[in-house]
Amino acid sequence: MSGLSSPSSIPFPRLRPWLLLAVPVLLLVAYLVLMDNGAISQTGAFLHELMHDGRHLLGVPCH
């Protein structure tokens, strides 16, 4: 097949800042879903129920 080229790799120095940003963001999301129980997520019933359902989906006991 003509016109197809092999994929190029992304150099690590360009990827490193995104990886460094992703780690704290993922840790914050994991904390909010798994451990928060409403201590920080006091922004409304919708967010509370979303986090509550996320705990059930992941099998984390919350009651």
Side-chain angles (χ1 to χ4, degrees), residues 25-63:
V25 169
L26 290 175
L27 287 174
L28 177 65
V29 169
Y31 170 77
L32 287 174
V33 172
L34 300 176
M35 307 294 281
D36 180 42
N37 287 325
I40 293 177
S41 61
Q42 295 285 332
T43 58
F46 177 76
L47 185 59
H48 174 78
E49 290 302 319
L50 185 67
M51 298 300 171
H52 184 91
D53 293 343
R55 283 186 208 98
H56 285 293
L57 181 68
L58 295 172
V60 176
C62 59
H63 299 246

